[in-house]
Amino acid sequence: MRRTMRAAVCVRAGGPEVLEIRELPVPAVRAGWSLVQVKGAGLNRSELRTRQGHSPNVTFPRVLGIECVGIVAASTDPMLPDGTTVAAVMGEMGRQFDGGYAEYALLPNSLLMPVTTTLPWDVLAALPETYLTAQGALNTLGVMPSGQGRLLIRGGTSSVGMAAASIASGHGVETAATTRRQGKIDALTAAGVDYVLVDDGGSLAASVHAVWPEGPDYVLDLVGASTAVDSLHLVRRGGTVCMAGTLSGWVISDFEPIAMIPSGTKLTAFHSDNLKGSAGATVLQQVVHEVEAGVYRPNVDRVFGLADIVAAHRYMENNEATGKLVVVP
């Protein structure tokens, strides 16, 4: 076993440059935790916000990364012997304790999800947080494999948006998705979106009603605070809006539920922490099977080496990605 490892350490709150590659001791295994050799880690905007200083409970220095995939290097769980391929998401990874931006991560056994797969590491690393969030949000909305209903995805070219489009397309659900950039239309079409709507920042009513005069049955809103009220008026009366992203922030100012939620319309939310550990293991394995079968088409926009973590965060912060960004140590 190696004694040291490379890790990307967030040394303080600030811009991408506060992420520094350092040589750290490989964490010592302790009861209830196992050491994972990280083979890939997806990048997430929550890590960007933590790096910027918007997570008040996080202290620096900290190795960020709310998810990773890899191989158990030293186990304290007899159900997860050394050599097991695992994934882990959430559960305060990269916040209360060091996360996936490293060659090794010491993780609670309760977070580890065993995975059987033939997928390459970069593709597998793109799945856990993104696809668990997308699948959980679609389940919350009531979007089922029957192919019934019409789904609008706001924030379509985000990693979760692309994953949701891939799942919905695999289910045969009629889907529309938004993007702010004309250059990303083809990527959404390739992901299985039936109607791509260019979002200029105003109401989407005209564009949506041109496609579906009565509105969609479901809206998966990944943009967040700035679009929530508009989404509630886009969905058909009696339809459902699920908030599962915060691309525009967390707080809806001056929100008046009785005035702003049309009678009969439902507003709900999904958080990926609900599918961490054993709660998400079966779901993730099913996602992996669907990807291996070609039913789901994950979009890995770019793979970065750990040494390029500053460039990776800058790329994410500039909203250049279409789909998932992955770091491979």
mmCIF file of all heavy atoms in Angstrom, residues 149-187:
data_model
loop_
_atom_site.group_PDB
_atom_site.id
_atom_site.type_symbol
_atom_site.label_atom_id
_atom_site.label_comp_id
_atom_site.label_asym_id
_atom_site.label_seq_id
_atom_site.Cartn_x
_atom_site.Cartn_y
_atom_site.Cartn_z
ATOM 1 N N GLY A 149 -47.242 10.582 -21.334
ATOM 2 C CA GLY A 149 -47.013 11.927 -20.844
ATOM 3 C C GLY A 149 -45.957 12.684 -21.622
ATOM 4 O O GLY A 149 -45.227 12.146 -22.458
ATOM 5 N N ARG A 150 -45.896 14.000 -21.334
ATOM 6 C CA ARG A 150 -44.980 14.922 -22.014
ATOM 7 C C ARG A 150 -44.129 15.602 -20.954
ATOM 8 O O ARG A 150 -44.642 16.144 -19.981
ATOM 9 C CB ARG A 150 -45.794 15.961 -22.791
ATOM 10 C CG ARG A 150 -46.695 15.350 -23.869
ATOM 11 C CD ARG A 150 -47.851 16.266 -24.227
ATOM 12 N NE ARG A 150 -48.735 16.481 -23.079
ATOM 13 C CZ ARG A 150 -49.900 17.111 -23.154
ATOM 14 N NH1 ARG A 150 -50.322 17.595 -24.302
ATOM 15 N NH2 ARG A 150 -50.629 17.270 -22.061
ATOM 16 N N LEU A 151 -42.824 15.583 -21.160
ATOM 17 C CA LEU A 151 -41.868 16.062 -20.175
ATOM 18 C C LEU A 151 -41.087 17.246 -20.719
ATOM 19 O O LEU A 151 -40.506 17.164 -21.813
ATOM 20 C CB LEU A 151 -40.888 14.946 -19.805
ATOM 21 C CG LEU A 151 -39.647 15.337 -18.983
ATOM 22 C CD1 LEU A 151 -40.053 15.762 -17.569
ATOM 23 C CD2 LEU A 151 -38.654 14.184 -18.948
ATOM 24 N N LEU A 152 -41.037 18.340 -19.958
ATOM 25 C CA LEU A 152 -40.178 19.481 -20.267
ATOM 26 C C LEU A 152 -39.028 19.505 -19.269
ATOM 27 O O LEU A 152 -39.256 19.486 -18.056
ATOM 28 C CB LEU A 152 -40.962 20.789 -20.175
ATOM 29 C CG LEU A 152 -40.122 22.086 -20.252
ATOM 30 C CD1 LEU A 152 -39.429 22.211 -21.607
ATOM 31 C CD2 LEU A 152 -40.994 23.311 -19.959
ATOM 32 N N ILE A 153 -37.801 19.563 -19.774
ATOM 33 C CA ILE A 153 -36.608 19.650 -18.936
ATOM 34 C C ILE A 153 -36.023 21.041 -19.094
ATOM 35 O O ILE A 153 -35.612 21.429 -20.201
ATOM 36 C CB ILE A 153 -35.552 18.599 -19.328
ATOM 37 C CG1 ILE A 153 -36.133 17.190 -19.263
ATOM 38 C CG2 ILE A 153 -34.321 18.720 -18.427
ATOM 39 C CD1 ILE A 153 -35.231 16.127 -19.876
ATOM 40 N N ARG A 154 -36.000 21.805 -18.018
ATOM 41 C CA ARG A 154 -35.384 23.133 -18.046
ATOM 42 C C ARG A 154 -33.958 23.019 -17.514
ATOM 43 O O ARG A 154 -33.730 22.488 -16.436
ATOM 44 C CB ARG A 154 -36.187 24.110 -17.192
ATOM 45 C CG ARG A 154 -37.624 24.249 -17.640
ATOM 46 C CD ARG A 154 -38.301 25.454 -17.034
ATOM 47 N NE ARG A 154 -37.853 26.711 -17.655
ATOM 48 C CZ ARG A 154 -38.530 27.855 -17.596
ATOM 49 N NH1 ARG A 154 -39.677 27.910 -16.927
ATOM 50 N NH2 ARG A 154 -38.071 28.943 -18.168
ATOM 51 N N GLY A 155 -33.000 23.509 -18.305
ATOM 52 C CA GLY A 155 -31.593 23.273 -18.004
ATOM 53 C C GLY A 155 -31.152 21.982 -18.656
ATOM 54 O O GLY A 155 -30.438 21.174 -18.061
ATOM 55 N N GLY A 156 -31.568 21.805 -19.908
ATOM 56 C CA GLY A 156 -31.404 20.519 -20.588
ATOM 57 C C GLY A 156 -29.970 20.098 -20.818
ATOM 58 O O GLY A 156 -29.688 18.903 -20.872
ATOM 59 N N THR A 157 -29.041 21.049 -20.986
ATOM 60 C CA THR A 157 -27.664 20.657 -21.277
ATOM 61 C C THR A 157 -26.802 20.526 -20.023
ATOM 62 O O THR A 157 -25.601 20.296 -20.120
ATOM 63 C CB THR A 157 -26.999 21.647 -22.252
ATOM 64 O OG1 THR A 157 -27.126 22.977 -21.754
ATOM 65 C CG2 THR A 157 -27.636 21.555 -23.623
ATOM 66 N N SER A 158 -27.398 20.676 -18.839
ATOM 67 C CA SER A 158 -26.684 20.316 -17.617
ATOM 68 C C SER A 158 -26.506 18.804 -17.599
ATOM 69 O O SER A 158 -27.162 18.066 -18.343
ATOM 70 C CB SER A 158 -27.476 20.758 -16.385
ATOM 71 O OG SER A 158 -28.689 20.028 -16.289
ATOM 72 N N SER A 159 -25.601 18.319 -16.765
ATOM 73 C CA SER A 159 -25.359 16.875 -16.725
ATOM 74 C C SER A 159 -26.616 16.109 -16.326
ATOM 75 O O SER A 159 -26.937 15.068 -16.912
ATOM 76 C CB SER A 159 -24.211 16.551 -15.769
ATOM 77 O OG SER A 159 -24.477 17.008 -14.461
ATOM 78 N N VAL A 160 -27.373 16.632 -15.360
ATOM 79 C CA VAL A 160 -28.607 15.958 -14.944
ATOM 80 C C VAL A 160 -29.660 16.069 -16.041
ATOM 81 O O VAL A 160 -30.416 15.121 -16.294
ATOM 82 C CB VAL A 160 -29.132 16.523 -13.618
ATOM 83 C CG1 VAL A 160 -30.479 15.905 -13.252
ATOM 84 C CG2 VAL A 160 -28.126 16.271 -12.502
ATOM 85 N N GLY A 161 -29.712 17.207 -16.719
ATOM 86 C CA GLY A 161 -30.662 17.371 -17.816
ATOM 87 C C GLY A 161 -30.420 16.377 -18.926
ATOM 88 O O GLY A 161 -31.365 15.765 -19.464
ATOM 89 N N MET A 162 -29.151 16.196 -19.292
ATOM 90 C CA MET A 162 -28.812 15.237 -20.341
ATOM 91 C C MET A 162 -29.147 13.811 -19.894
ATOM 92 O O MET A 162 -29.642 12.998 -20.687
ATOM 93 C CB MET A 162 -27.335 15.351 -20.688
ATOM 94 C CG MET A 162 -26.913 16.693 -21.250
ATOM 95 S SD MET A 162 -27.497 17.003 -22.932
ATOM 96 C CE MET A 162 -26.374 15.975 -23.873
ATOM 97 N N ALA A 163 -28.888 13.511 -18.629
ATOM 98 C CA ALA A 163 -29.207 12.181 -18.116
ATOM 99 C C ALA A 163 -30.717 11.946 -18.111
ATOM 100 O O ALA A 163 -31.195 10.870 -18.504
ATOM 101 C CB ALA A 163 -28.641 12.012 -16.708
ATOM 102 N N ALA A 164 -31.483 12.948 -17.674
ATOM 103 C CA ALA A 164 -32.937 12.814 -17.657
ATOM 104 C C ALA A 164 -33.482 12.620 -19.069
ATOM 105 O O ALA A 164 -34.400 11.822 -19.292
ATOM 106 C CB ALA A 164 -33.573 14.035 -17.009
ATOM 107 N N ALA A 165 -32.922 13.337 -20.033
ATOM 108 C CA ALA A 165 -33.340 13.175 -21.429
ATOM 109 C C ALA A 165 -33.040 11.770 -21.921
ATOM 110 O O ALA A 165 -33.843 11.148 -22.630
ATOM 111 C CB ALA A 165 -32.641 14.204 -22.305
ATOM 112 N N SER A 166 -31.877 11.250 -21.531
ATOM 113 C CA SER A 166 -31.494 9.904 -21.934
ATOM 114 C C SER A 166 -32.448 8.859 -21.359
ATOM 115 O O SER A 166 -32.886 7.945 -22.057
ATOM 116 C CB SER A 166 -30.058 9.625 -21.465
ATOM 117 O OG SER A 166 -29.665 8.315 -21.739
ATOM 118 N N ILE A 167 -32.792 9.019 -20.069
ATOM 119 C CA ILE A 167 -33.718 8.077 -19.430
ATOM 120 C C ILE A 167 -35.104 8.175 -20.043
ATOM 121 O O ILE A 167 -35.732 7.161 -20.381
ATOM 122 C CB ILE A 167 -33.777 8.334 -17.917
ATOM 123 C CG1 ILE A 167 -32.417 8.034 -17.269
ATOM 124 C CG2 ILE A 167 -34.876 7.484 -17.266
ATOM 125 C CD1 ILE A 167 -32.310 8.486 -15.825
ATOM 126 N N ALA A 168 -35.605 9.407 -20.203
ATOM 127 C CA ALA A 168 -36.952 9.605 -20.762
ATOM 128 C C ALA A 168 -37.036 9.052 -22.180
ATOM 129 O O ALA A 168 -38.036 8.423 -22.560
ATOM 130 C CB ALA A 168 -37.310 11.083 -20.740
ATOM 131 N N SER A 169 -35.988 9.286 -22.966
ATOM 132 C CA SER A 169 -35.960 8.747 -24.326
ATOM 133 C C SER A 169 -35.992 7.224 -24.298
ATOM 134 O O SER A 169 -36.704 6.590 -25.088
ATOM 135 C CB SER A 169 -34.709 9.236 -25.052
ATOM 136 O OG SER A 169 -34.594 8.636 -26.332
ATOM 137 N N GLY A 170 -35.243 6.625 -23.360
ATOM 138 C CA GLY A 170 -35.263 5.173 -23.223
ATOM 139 C C GLY A 170 -36.629 4.647 -22.844
ATOM 140 O O GLY A 170 -36.988 3.520 -23.199
ATOM 141 N N HIS A 171 -37.410 5.465 -22.130
ATOM 142 C CA HIS A 171 -38.779 5.093 -21.745
ATOM 143 C C HIS A 171 -39.793 5.353 -22.864
ATOM 144 O O HIS A 171 -40.956 4.965 -22.742
ATOM 145 C CB HIS A 171 -39.222 5.884 -20.512
ATOM 146 C CG HIS A 171 -38.520 5.506 -19.247
ATOM 147 N ND1 HIS A 171 -37.756 4.366 -19.114
ATOM 148 C CD2 HIS A 171 -38.463 6.133 -18.036
ATOM 149 C CE1 HIS A 171 -37.274 4.299 -17.885
ATOM 150 N NE2 HIS A 171 -37.675 5.355 -17.206
ATOM 151 N N GLY A 172 -39.370 6.059 -23.898
ATOM 152 C CA GLY A 172 -40.308 6.424 -24.956
ATOM 153 C C GLY A 172 -41.180 7.611 -24.627
ATOM 154 O O GLY A 172 -42.218 7.832 -25.261
ATOM 155 N N VAL A 173 -40.763 8.438 -23.660
ATOM 156 C CA VAL A 173 -41.539 9.614 -23.244
ATOM 157 C C VAL A 173 -41.248 10.776 -24.196
ATOM 158 O O VAL A 173 -40.095 11.032 -24.541
ATOM 159 C CB VAL A 173 -41.177 10.009 -21.797
ATOM 160 C CG1 VAL A 173 -41.864 11.310 -21.395
ATOM 161 C CG2 VAL A 173 -41.548 8.888 -20.839
ATOM 162 N N GLU A 174 -42.295 11.482 -24.623
ATOM 163 C CA GLU A 174 -42.123 12.664 -25.476
ATOM 164 C C GLU A 174 -41.500 13.777 -24.635
ATOM 165 O O GLU A 174 -42.029 14.149 -23.585
ATOM 166 C CB GLU A 174 -43.478 13.109 -26.028
ATOM 167 C CG GLU A 174 -43.360 14.157 -27.113
ATOM 168 C CD GLU A 174 -44.706 14.483 -27.737
ATOM 169 O OE1 GLU A 174 -45.736 13.959 -27.246
ATOM 170 O OE2 GLU A 174 -44.728 15.252 -28.699
ATOM 171 N N THR A 175 -40.375 14.322 -25.114
ATOM 172 C CA THR A 175 -39.566 15.204 -24.286
ATOM 173 C C THR A 175 -39.182 16.478 -25.023
ATOM 174 O O THR A 175 -38.821 16.443 -26.201
ATOM 175 C CB THR A 175 -38.269 14.486 -23.850
ATOM 176 O OG1 THR A 175 -38.617 13.268 -23.185
ATOM 177 C CG2 THR A 175 -37.455 15.345 -22.902
ATOM 178 N N ALA A 176 -39.268 17.593 -24.306
ATOM 179 C CA ALA A 176 -38.709 18.872 -24.767
ATOM 180 C C ALA A 176 -37.679 19.304 -23.739
ATOM 181 O O ALA A 176 -37.783 18.967 -22.552
ATOM 182 C CB ALA A 176 -39.790 19.927 -24.900
ATOM 183 N N ALA A 177 -36.660 20.038 -24.184
ATOM 184 C CA ALA A 177 -35.623 20.506 -23.261
ATOM 185 C C ALA A 177 -35.121 21.863 -23.709
ATOM 186 O O ALA A 177 -35.160 22.194 -24.907
ATOM 187 C CB ALA A 177 -34.467 19.510 -23.185
ATOM 188 N N THR A 178 -34.654 22.640 -22.742
ATOM 189 C CA THR A 178 -34.203 23.997 -23.045
ATOM 190 C C THR A 178 -32.680 24.090 -23.039
ATOM 191 O O THR A 178 -31.992 23.346 -22.358
ATOM 192 C CB THR A 178 -34.744 25.007 -22.010
ATOM 193 O OG1 THR A 178 -34.125 24.759 -20.736
ATOM 194 C CG2 THR A 178 -36.248 24.911 -21.884
ATOM 195 N N THR A 179 -32.186 25.042 -23.802
ATOM 196 C CA THR A 179 -30.787 25.426 -23.781
ATOM 197 C C THR A 179 -30.699 26.916 -24.078
ATOM 198 O O THR A 179 -31.562 27.470 -24.766
ATOM 199 C CB THR A 179 -29.943 24.643 -24.795
ATOM 200 O OG1 THR A 179 -28.588 25.121 -24.743
ATOM 201 C CG2 THR A 179 -30.468 24.829 -26.216
ATOM 202 N N ARG A 180 -29.675 27.559 -23.562
ATOM 203 C CA ARG A 180 -29.474 28.982 -23.852
ATOM 204 C C ARG A 180 -28.616 29.191 -25.088
ATOM 205 O O ARG A 180 -28.462 30.318 -25.542
ATOM 206 C CB ARG A 180 -28.827 29.669 -22.644
ATOM 207 C CG ARG A 180 -29.741 29.760 -21.429
ATOM 208 C CD ARG A 180 -29.043 30.432 -20.263
ATOM 209 N NE ARG A 180 -27.902 29.632 -19.812
ATOM 210 C CZ ARG A 180 -27.019 30.056 -18.910
ATOM 211 N NH1 ARG A 180 -27.147 31.266 -18.374
ATOM 212 N NH2 ARG A 180 -26.022 29.289 -18.535
ATOM 213 N N ARG A 181 -28.026 28.117 -25.621
ATOM 214 C CA ARG A 181 -27.064 28.259 -26.708
ATOM 215 C C ARG A 181 -27.471 27.421 -27.917
ATOM 216 O O ARG A 181 -27.694 26.212 -27.812
ATOM 217 C CB ARG A 181 -25.667 27.849 -26.235
ATOM 218 C CG ARG A 181 -25.179 28.661 -25.035
ATOM 219 C CD ARG A 181 -23.751 28.296 -24.667
ATOM 220 N NE ARG A 181 -23.305 29.011 -23.474
ATOM 221 C CZ ARG A 181 -22.073 28.945 -22.982
ATOM 222 N NH1 ARG A 181 -21.171 28.183 -23.576
ATOM 223 N NH2 ARG A 181 -21.748 29.632 -21.892
ATOM 224 N N GLN A 182 -27.551 28.074 -29.065
ATOM 225 C CA GLN A 182 -27.898 27.391 -30.304
ATOM 226 C C GLN A 182 -26.942 26.236 -30.590
ATOM 227 O O GLN A 182 -27.333 25.202 -31.132
ATOM 228 C CB GLN A 182 -27.855 28.382 -31.469
ATOM 229 C CG GLN A 182 -28.915 29.459 -31.448
ATOM 230 C CD GLN A 182 -30.228 28.978 -32.055
ATOM 231 O OE1 GLN A 182 -30.299 27.903 -32.641
ATOM 232 N NE2 GLN A 182 -31.269 29.786 -31.901
ATOM 233 N N GLY A 183 -25.670 26.412 -30.212
ATOM 234 C CA GLY A 183 -24.667 25.414 -30.513
ATOM 235 C C GLY A 183 -24.838 24.102 -29.772
ATOM 236 O O GLY A 183 -24.133 23.128 -30.079
ATOM 237 N N LYS A 184 -25.766 24.056 -28.802
ATOM 238 C CA LYS A 184 -25.969 22.834 -28.029
ATOM 239 C C LYS A 184 -27.221 22.059 -28.450
ATOM 240 O O LYS A 184 -27.544 21.039 -27.849
ATOM 241 C CB LYS A 184 -26.026 23.165 -26.540
ATOM 242 C CG LYS A 184 -24.702 23.718 -25.997
ATOM 243 C CD LYS A 184 -24.723 23.877 -24.500
ATOM 244 C CE LYS A 184 -23.346 24.308 -23.969
ATOM 245 N NZ LYS A 184 -23.293 24.357 -22.501
ATOM 246 N N ILE A 185 -27.883 22.550 -29.478
ATOM 247 C CA ILE A 185 -29.120 21.897 -29.925
ATOM 248 C C ILE A 185 -28.861 20.466 -30.360
ATOM 249 O O ILE A 185 -29.586 19.537 -29.997
ATOM 250 C CB ILE A 185 -29.774 22.713 -31.058
ATOM 251 C CG1 ILE A 185 -30.319 24.034 -30.505
ATOM 252 C CG2 ILE A 185 -30.890 21.908 -31.722
ATOM 253 C CD1 ILE A 185 -30.887 24.963 -31.567
ATOM 254 N N ASP A 186 -27.809 20.252 -31.149
ATOM 255 C CA ASP A 186 -27.534 18.917 -31.677
ATOM 256 C C ASP A 186 -27.256 17.912 -30.559
ATOM 257 O O ASP A 186 -27.635 16.739 -30.667
ATOM 258 C CB ASP A 186 -26.348 18.957 -32.644
ATOM 259 C CG ASP A 186 -26.687 19.653 -33.955
ATOM 260 O OD1 ASP A 186 -27.886 19.856 -34.220
ATOM 261 O OD2 ASP A 186 -25.749 19.988 -34.703
ATOM 262 N N ALA A 187 -26.604 18.363 -29.493
ATOM 263 C CA ALA A 187 -26.302 17.454 -28.384
ATOM 264 C C ALA A 187 -27.582 16.984 -27.700
ATOM 265 O O ALA A 187 -27.695 15.806 -27.319
ATOM 266 C CB ALA A 187 -25.384 18.138 -27.376
#
